[in-house]
Amino acid sequence: MIAKVIVDVSTNQTDRLFDYLILDEYMDTVVPGLRVVVPFGPRKVQGFVIEISETSEYPLDKLKPIQELVDVKPPITKELLSLSEWLKNETLSHHISVLKVMLPAAMRAKYKKQLWLNTSIATEESASFFRKKDAPIDWDEFQKKAKTMERKMMATFIKNNEVTVQPIVGTHETKKKRVAVKSAYTKAQLHDLLETLNKGAKKQRELIQFFINNNSNPIPVVDLISEVKTSRSTIKSLVEKGILVEEEMELRRDPYEGREFTKSKPLPLTEEQGIVLQSISESLNNEIHRTFLLRGVTGSGKTEVYLQAIEKALSLGKEAIVLVPEISLTPQMVTRFKERFGSAVAVLHSALSKGEKYDEWKRISDKEVSVAVGARSAIFAPFENLGMIIIDEEHETSYKQEESPRYHARDVAIKRGEYYQCPVILGSATPSLESYARAKKGVYQLVTMEKRVNDVRMPVVTITDMREELRQGNRSMFSNGLLDAMKVRLERREQIVLFLNRRGYSTFIMCRDCGYVAECPHCDISLTYHRANQSLQCHYCGHVETVPSRCPDCEGESIRFFGSGTQKVEEELIKVLPNIRVIRMDVDTTRKKGSHEKLLEKFGKGEGDVLLGTQMIAKGLDFPNITLVGVLAADSMLHLPDFRSAERTFQLLTQVSGRAGRHEKPGEVIIQTYTPDHYSIQDVKQHDFVSFFQKEMMVRKQGGYPPYYYLTLIHVSDVDLTNVVAVTEKITNFLKGELSEDTMVYGPVASAIPRIKDRYRYQCMIKYKVEPKLTQTLQEIIKTYQGEMSRSNLSIVIDSNPYMML
Ligand SMILES: Nc1ncnc2c1ncn2[C@@H]1O[C@H](COP(=O)(O)OP(=O)(O)OP(=O)(O)O)[C@@H](O)[C@H]1O
Ligand SMILES: [Zn+2]
Ligand SMILES: [Zn+2]
């Protein structure tokens, strides 16, 4: 039998099936989806079995056999295997990178290299590097320890073939192990033993008695010690006598271990919730795939609908996936799922260690759980009887992966929903324009919830013109209205959320005399000021320098930082309201694992008056005592070179406003802006998504942007500027010649950030409505340049449906 294998070598030449023989011993165990180790040229690599076949185009005696099996059970299910075929075409990716993205990081192959002495031709010199002639040296270790001279010598030995480099494939240490012991004797034998054992050996007798009284499963040594009140040495002595045997036990790490979740009951639904659940249930019960777009205002109880929809799927013996943006994968959200479904839930998010993620994935794979809650990659959860897929905050751009394979979780969700004929629910208070347009056309089924639960009113939104404040002599970052509103909250002991829109609003250093701005020497972007260690850092390449005390250009002393970060806001806040207790949440205060959770818990307990933060606090928070939301610099991202900037502004402002007054106490929102008349800000005031949608659609139509047109962006970069321009130009011309007349090709143009890490960046954009030749033409471009790309610094990246326009 022949296995057709995709090997773990990501190049265009190797992106095809390779044939390997299946030896008799592996005959029944090698199945599609299994990982194997195969010889590939001089090396050994990991690969995925895609098909089993009886025949090969190649003569059988030319084929090499599969050398090892990595798994016992295929980690890629049949359905995921066929999904991978589709996804590689959709994203123009190598098949291997698609297969790898479906698995947790801990399961990706790790390649190590070893140095072996070629004893037949080795000289004394080369042999002196090896302690034993027949034992290898670890390559990484050698690189770490060797002196430059030694490394040079080794390179020569390798060239002369005196030393050979051999790669070995390993996997990451995925399992956490623990030493356990069990009895080697039967219970009857143990009884006999007890009779003959010296009466003085009291400790040993107790231990033997334990194994007589209990079942014969292995027990971890640590547990045994605490249960029998025995010692390690007593256990050891019985092991030495051969009465007990040691073995390693795989240990499951449960990140929520020790946490008690009180079971929550389904709430009686509101009328709107009931209608939505009804529609979803029909699709579920009839096993007919539908994609629902659930537009529900903030606080309308979308999460409760998800919970009850999942419950229905589970009652049919099916499984469910819930995607939430990483940023809103808050403890609050997780708790709500854990409380409802208990141990049936696996949680996958980036705060988990590699090993913990693997364990959660394994629980899904082994069908120990039936609900997976997680960020983007959880869409590949290896369930095989899916009944429900939910994407919360479906407008979030983090659902698109910004590296190869550049997939969008929404597309994957719908594809899987079709396979299992189950409902897919896209939920948001502010759906993406694309999804809403599709729902209006009837491609998705639109369901809406316009009211908050329990007749809670939407918060009153005031828009404050900061130019006006300035005219009246207020130079602080808080308008008089916001300051007064905060004072009232402090008196009433209610809570405040202060949101600083940080995107496109960096803190940079500028000379007030000559206008000099500190920029990164490798990237065309200004350096960001970090107050904590008085440094300037580049957020693209990591370049760090100290803050200059004088302007490098004019030598003036008026060089200082501009813009306002959360630290600055905190300082200013304490100046005007000295007794205010601020809980600041930003990248600096949440770096440590679990700190995010702790800060929110503190705020929830009322140990802070203000929760001050960036994007991180815009979503998912549900605290009854928040009655005021203040937005500083609402328009700071309106001016980014991105056609979605208005949409993002509206979404973010609506989301953050939605944190106010969600329960009994009414909420108020104050939005500070320099562009109060912009529709993306005005429509937040009336909570009017539909009005915003209509206006934005006109803008998109005029500009020829999605959802009216599809976009594909081709990024070209190289250290050599002339080559970048030349290649981008050739590509642009080629596209213009190949694609249909109605398709527009723009370029070559420099990217919004023209240089990153000393690489020049150009791009070319394709706008089209229908373009049957697109995939084929793009593949041709990649083929044309693949040689040059593998030899030089040139890189060409194709992004269909781009979200990052920079
Ligand atoms: N049927 C119901 N009866 C009573 N309370 C409910 C009901 N449904 C939801 N709630 C409560 O209303 C509050 C808001 O609901 P939820 O957080 O689900 O809203 P949401 O639409 O997901 O909001 P957002 O999009 O703003 O995060 C929660 O505290 C929730 O427990
Ligand atoms: Zn840089
Ligand atoms: Zn200057």
Side-chain angles (χ1 to χ4, degrees):
M1 290 297 254
I2 310 296
K4 300 196 176 276
V5 173
I6 287 284
V7 293
D8 188 3
V9 181
S10 194
T11 67
N12 291 298
Q13 291 92 334
T14 52
D15 189 26
R16 60 173 181 86
L17 295 172
F18 288 88
D19 290 3
Y20 289 93
L21 288 174
I22 305 173
L23 298 178
D24 280 345
E25 53 182 313
Y26 294 147
M27 205 52 99
D28 299 323
T29 28
V30 174
V31 290
L34 198 78
R35 293 177 302 158
V36 291
V37 175
V38 291
F40 194 74
R43 329 182 254 164
K44 280 191 217 164
V45 297
Q46 222 178 63
F48 289 82
V49 177
I50 305 297
E51 284 169 45
I52 307 288
S53 165
E54 303 208 339
T55 55
S56 170
E57 298 169 34
Y58 303 95
L60 290 188
D61 56 340
K62 285 268 164 65
L63 295 185
K64 293 182 191 154
I66 287 175
Q67 291 196 326
E68 273 175 55
L69 311 188
V70 180
D71 310 293
V72 185
K73 186 183 122 193
I76 303 278
T77 64
K78 198 168 134 254
E79 177 243 341
L80 288 176
L81 209 53
S82 76
L83 186 75
S84 75
E85 300 275 353
W86 166 81
L87 196 57
K88 73 166 193 215
N89 291 330
E90 194 78 356
T91 58
L92 293 160
S93 311
H94 298 145
H95 201 168
I96 187 68
S97 66
V98 172
L99 291 165
K100 280 161 82 176
V101 86
M102 293 179 163
L103 296 180
M107 288 180 82
R108 291 175 202 151
K110 203 167 83 178
Y111 295 96
K112 270 175 79 173
K113 282 192 272 184
Q114 290 179 337
L115 297 165
W116 287 85
L117 189 64
N118 192 351
T119 41
S120 56
I121 58 167
T123 54
E124 224 169 272
E125 210 180 16
S126 53
S128 73
F129 277 72
F130 291 79
R131 218 177 304 145
K132 278 192 202 155
K133 283 195 172 139
D134 52 358
I137 302 178
D138 185 86
W139 169 270
D140 289 328
E141 208 138 292
F142 177 76
Q143 292 297 329
K144 233 188 281 161
K145 289 192 182 145
K147 302 197 178 73
T148 320
M149 194 56 214
E150 293 171 332
R151 259 185 266 145
K152 275 194 188 147
M153 284 165 73
M154 187 57 84
T156 324
F157 301 147
I158 294 170
K159 219 167 92 196
N160 302 340
N161 224 3
E162 283 176 70
V163 174
T164 50
V165 184
Q166 297 220 347
I168 51 168
V169 201
T171 35
H172 293 274
E173 186 51 51
T174 46
K175 301 178 183 87
K176 192 168 169 184
K177 300 212 179 85
R178 230 184 223 194
V179 183
V181 285
K182 65 175 186 189
S183 170
Y185 286 25
T186 63
K187 290 197 177 183
Q189 286 173 319
L190 287 176
H191 266 294
D192 294 347
L193 187 71
L194 218 48
E195 300 290 300
T196 58
L197 205 68
N198 180 342
K199 286 264 181 318
K202 189 164 159 265
K203 286 279 170 195
Q204 293 190 15
R205 300 180 70 92
E206 280 170 7
L207 203 51
I208 293 167
Q209 193 62 53
F210 174 86
F211 282 95
I212 294 173
N213 297 345
N214 285 279
N215 64 27
S216 52
N217 294 339
I219 170 167
V221 171
V222 272
D223 296 354
L224 192 59
I225 291 174
S226 70
E227 230 162 284
V228 191
K229 310 254 175 322
T230 186
S231 67
R232 228 170 256 278
S233 62
T234 313
I235 299 172
K236 210 171 144 215
S237 66
L238 289 189
V239 170
E240 276 164 6
K241 287 184 184 160
I243 300 164
L244 297 181
V245 283
E246 276 183 351
E247 63 179 54
E248 282 195 328
M249 224 171 134
E250 189 178 331
L251 190 75
R252 281 287 159 75
R253 286 148 290 203
D254 179 358
Y256 296 93
E257 194 174 65
R259 290 258 306 267
E260 291 283 328
F261 294 99
T262 30
K263 184 131 179 73
S264 73
K265 292 221 174 59
L267 300 168
L269 297 182
T270 65
E271 198 187 337
E272 285 185 324
Q273 285 174 321
I275 294 170
V276 172
L277 187 64
Q278 182 61 34
S279 308
I280 297 168
S281 306
E282 268 167 38
S283 161
L284 175 72
N285 294 333
N286 299 329
E287 305 201 345
I288 297 173
H289 160 71
R290 304 235 64 186
T291 300
F292 294 90
L293 180 63
L294 167 56
R295 183 176 71 78
V297 298
T298 55
S300 58
K302 294 184 287 295
T303 313
E304 184 63 31
V305 172
Y306 303 154
L307 291 169
Q308 299 199 18
I310 293 169
E311 194 156 293
K312 286 192 188 289
L314 299 190
S315 74
L316 295 174
K318 298 189 176 189
E319 299 136 352
I321 296 176
V322 186
L323 294 193
V324 293
E326 186 66 59
I327 211 166
S328 66
L329 197 49
T330 56
Q332 253 191 339
M333 192 75 176
V334 172
T335 304
R336 283 175 82 175
F337 281 89
K338 284 270 183 188
E339 281 176 348
R340 192 66 58 89
F341 303 114
S343 56
V345 184
V347 180
L348 299 155
H349 62 85
S350 66
L352 301 183
S353 70
K354 258 191 198 167
E356 284 172 334
K357 265 187 227 157
Y358 168 78
D359 286 353
E360 291 293 279
W361 180 88
K362 192 84 171 47
R363 293 191 329 129
I364 299 168
S365 177
D366 290 347
K367 312 292 176 311
E368 285 174 22
V369 295
S370 34
V371 183
V373 180
R376 180 180 62 228
S377 61
I379 195 59
F380 297 114
F383 285 128
E384 289 173 282
N385 190 17
L386 272 173
M388 182 87 44
I389 303 176
I390 294 167
I391 303 188
D392 190 29
E393 313 284 3
E394 72 89 32
H395 62 278
E396 272 292 309
T397 52
S398 63
Y399 288 128
K400 165 84 186 290
Q401 172 151 306
E402 289 302 344
E403 56 189 68
S404 181
R406 295 167 185 268
Y407 70 93
H408 199 300
R410 193 199 293 138
D411 302 333
V412 177
I414 293 172
K415 196 76 188 166
R416 295 195 77 181
E418 283 167 9
Y419 183 94
Y420 289 106
Q421 285 299 312
C422 75
V424 172
I425 308 166
L426 311 175
S428 176
T430 52
S432 64
L433 244 68
E434 282 94 333
S435 292
Y436 199 72
R438 254 172 239 158
K440 285 193 64 171
K441 271 169 71 181
V443 182
Y444 301 160
Q445 185 169 331
L446 185 64
V447 282
T448 42
M449 303 198 302
E450 299 279 6
K451 288 203 267 312
R452 279 187 160 179
V453 172
N454 293 334
D455 296 317
V456 171
R457 287 224 312 246
M458 294 301 285
V460 176
V461 179
T462 313
I463 294 169
T464 304
D465 185 348
M466 290 306 276
R467 295 168 306 182
E468 193 55 41
E469 292 282 319
L470 204 63
R471 262 176 239 135
Q472 289 170 8
N474 180 4
R475 298 183 150 271
S476 92
M477 50 175 89
F478 311 110
S479 64
N480 291 324
L482 179 56
L483 193 59
D484 289 343
M486 288 197 287
K487 283 180 189 156
V488 172
R489 296 317 182 288
L490 288 179
E491 265 163 36
R492 288 199 214 140
R493 305 204 146 271
E494 291 172 358
Q495 288 177 301
I496 306 163
V497 164
L498 269 190
F499 174 72
L500 178 71
N501 197 350
R502 272 280 307 214
R503 282 208 50 176
Y505 203 105
S506 54
T507 50
F508 56 97
I509 293 266
M510 186 166 125
C511 172
R512 294 204 178 197
D513 295 333
C514 75
Y516 163 87
V517 172
E519 282 187 354
C520 176
H522 312 287
C523 312
D524 291 324
I525 195 107
S526 50
L527 292 168
T528 303
Y529 174 63
H530 283 244
R531 162 163 295 224
N533 49 3
Q534 285 294 313
S535 67
L536 292 174
Q537 294 180 15
C538 173
H539 282 185
Y540 285 86
C541 74
H543 171 85
V544 183
E545 51 184 75
T546 49
V547 178
S549 52
R550 282 169 176 278
C551 171
D553 267 10
C554 73
E555 309 231 316
E557 283 176 24
S558 323
I559 185 158
R560 54 187 61 123
F561 77 97
F562 263 74
S564 63
T566 39
Q567 296 180 355
K568 183 88 195 297
V569 176
E570 183 176 4
E571 285 171 19
E572 294 289 305
L573 195 56
I574 292 170
K575 264 187 223 157
V576 288
L577 298 168
N579 293 324
I580 200 159
R581 296 168 304 162
V582 184
I583 294 179
R584 177 160 63 89
M585 241 167 79
D586 56 22
V587 278
D588 289 329
T589 62
T590 55
R591 204 161 283 143
K592 256 192 25 220
K593 192 174 166 175
S595 50
H596 187 203
E597 183 164 5
K598 285 212 188 79
L599 291 175
L600 283 182
E601 206 179 277
K602 248 177 97 178
F603 188 69
K605 279 198 230 144
E607 290 170 21
D609 303 308
V610 184
L611 183 65
L612 163 65
T614 52
Q615 261 71 346
M616 229 175 261
I617 60 168
K619 302 198 173 70
L621 301 185
D622 188 27
F623 291 113
N625 206 27
I626 300 173
T627 59
L628 174 66
V629 168
V631 179
L632 311 166
D635 35 15
S636 64
M637 75 180 187
L638 208 49
H639 310 293
L640 288 175
D642 184 336
F643 70 90
R644 287 193 180 86
S645 62
E647 182 181 357
R648 292 204 183 144
T649 300
F650 176 80
Q651 287 165 346
L652 203 57
L653 293 179
T654 304
Q655 294 290 349
V656 67
S657 302
R659 301 312 112 205
R662 291 165 72 88
H663 296 255
E664 289 88 39
K665 297 173 187 167
E668 181 185 2
V669 179
I670 297 176
I671 298 177
Q672 302 190 160
T673 168
Y674 290 92
T675 42
D677 299 326
H678 196 280
Y679 61 95
S680 66
I681 294 173
Q682 279 296 327
D683 282 335
V684 176
K685 195 170 168 175
Q686 304 303 331
H687 312 283
D688 197 344
F689 172 81
V690 176
S691 158
F692 170 77
F693 172 79
Q694 284 161 350
K695 290 174 195 148
E696 181 66 9
M697 283 296 270
M698 295 217 314
V699 174
R700 299 287 177 89
K701 192 172 185 179
Q702 277 160 11
Y705 284 114
Y708 288 96
Y709 284 86
Y710 291 105
L711 297 184
T712 293
L713 203 55
I714 303 178
H715 300 272
V716 182
S717 71
D718 196 343
V719 289
D720 179 356
L721 177 60
T722 31
N723 194 42
V724 179
V725 180
V727 170
T728 319
E729 190 158 349
K730 271 190 218 146
I731 291 177
T732 312
N733 289 338
F734 179 69
L735 287 168
K736 281 179 184 159
E738 292 294 304
L739 301 179
S740 59
E741 290 213 333
D742 295 335
T743 296
M744 291 164 280
V745 181
Y746 300 92
V749 292
S751 305
I753 303 172
R755 190 175 51 134
I756 292 181
K757 295 187 197 174
D758 287 320
R759 298 176 65 90
Y760 294 92
R761 309 167 73 236
Y762 264 69
Q763 62 188 40
C764 158
M765 201 202 292
I766 310 168
K767 274 188 194 176
Y768 63 99
K769 281 200 159 156
V770 204
E771 185 49 78
K773 278 183 75 185
L774 187 67
T775 307
Q776 180 203 334
T777 312
L778 293 172
Q779 272 162 351
E780 243 167 272
I781 291 175
I782 293 293
K783 230 161 119 194
T784 310
Y785 287 99
Q786 74 188 21
E788 186 174 347
M789 283 195 281
S790 62
R791 271 179 277 114
S792 73
N793 278 309
L794 177 70
S795 142
I796 299 173
V797 173
I798 296 175
D799 193 359
S800 17
N801 191 13
Y803 279 82
M804 305 242 291
M805 307 304 286
L806 303 175

